[in-house]
Amino acid sequence: MKNPSLNARQLADRLLFPGAIDGGLASGVFVQVSSNEESSQFFWDLAPMLEAGGMLVEVIDAANIMVRNGLPRLAQLLRARCGGECAPASEMGELTLADTLADVMHNQSHNLVLLLGGAQRLPGEPGERAMKAIKAARDRINLAPASTGRLLLVATWVLPSNPSNYVENSISAFYGATAVTLAQSR
């Protein structure tokens, strides 16, 4: 099955003003791109559109969350993006990404969007653990009854990897998320 095509403007509009058919975007959006350069340009175009719409945006490459303290450092970045203070990664102890973000987002009315480049490097161990941590944070924030802010994920996959294989695999962390192909902007 061919993934639908969206450009940065179209995706920004659908994330900022979701319609009846856009509910699946809240599960995560995996965008197939042809190169790391195209991924960078896509995020360069998308981030300011989302920020202009009132969303908080953090861009990170998958390689940066695969290192030893990658997830605690991601928690620090996201906490800082939301205006909160966070202990250094070495002092976070047993706090998980979900714990940290739930604490930060508790009183947020903004949506926080994580733009994750190079997600094709994450399936399998230990990448699947990283994706499960991001999904746990997303679920904890988005499913909390009192939460007014949301955590959204937009990840890029570089060809020849196909994000459909990941979002259609029932044992993957983001099973059921949306897979699209980057369309050229007009």
Side-chain angles (χ1 to χ4, degrees):
M1 173 182 215
K2 183 167 173 26
N3 297 332
S5 295
L6 294 175
N7 63 34
R9 168 52 59 201
Q10 292 166 328
L11 182 57
D13 288 346
R14 290 179 70 179
L15 290 171
L16 291 167
F17 310 105
I21 62 169
D22 295 327
L25 298 178
S27 294
V29 181
F30 291 81
V31 182
Q32 189 170 28
V33 296
S34 60
S35 67
N36 288 323
E37 293 76 21
E38 188 175 58
S39 175
S40 296
Q41 184 63 51
F42 171 64
F43 286 159
W44 180 261
D45 295 340
L46 182 64
M49 293 177 208
L50 296 174
E51 289 174 340
M55 293 185 168
L56 303 172
V57 177
E58 184 63 43
V59 181
I60 190 164
D61 189 83
N64 293 330
I65 62 174
M66 294 299 294
V67 296
R68 184 172 171 255
N69 286 332
L71 288 172
R73 280 194 286 163
L74 177 59
Q76 286 178 305
L77 287 171
L78 295 175
R79 181 171 278 236
R81 176 61 66 193
C82 293
E85 295 297 319
C86 189
S90 61
E91 297 174 16
M92 288 183 64
E94 297 299 316
L95 288 179
T96 65
L97 180 64
D99 294 334
T100 303
L101 287 178
D103 178 51
V104 170
M105 296 293 288
H106 179 69
N107 294 318
Q108 284 286 332
S109 60
H110 294 287
N111 289 331
L112 173 62
V113 183
L114 176 61
L115 301 180
L116 178 65
Q120 76 278 358
R121 294 187 291 254
L122 292 175
E125 288 295 325
E128 185 66 22
R129 282 194 312 261
M131 292 303 280
K132 285 180 179 177
I134 293 169
K135 180 187 181 291
R138 184 208 66 195
D139 289 350
R140 181 141 175 215
I141 292 163
N142 296 359
L143 300 177
S147 179
T148 56
R150 299 282 182 247
L151 175 63
L152 302 173
L153 172 69
V154 176
T156 58
W157 285 64
V158 178
L159 288 168
S161 296
N162 185 343
S164 293
N165 296 335
Y166 190 64
V167 303
E168 294 172 4
N169 181 349
S170 63
I171 61 170
S172 292
F174 280 87
Y175 172 67
T178 301
V180 300
T181 300
L182 183 62
Q184 298 304 312
S185 297
R186 293 179 216 151

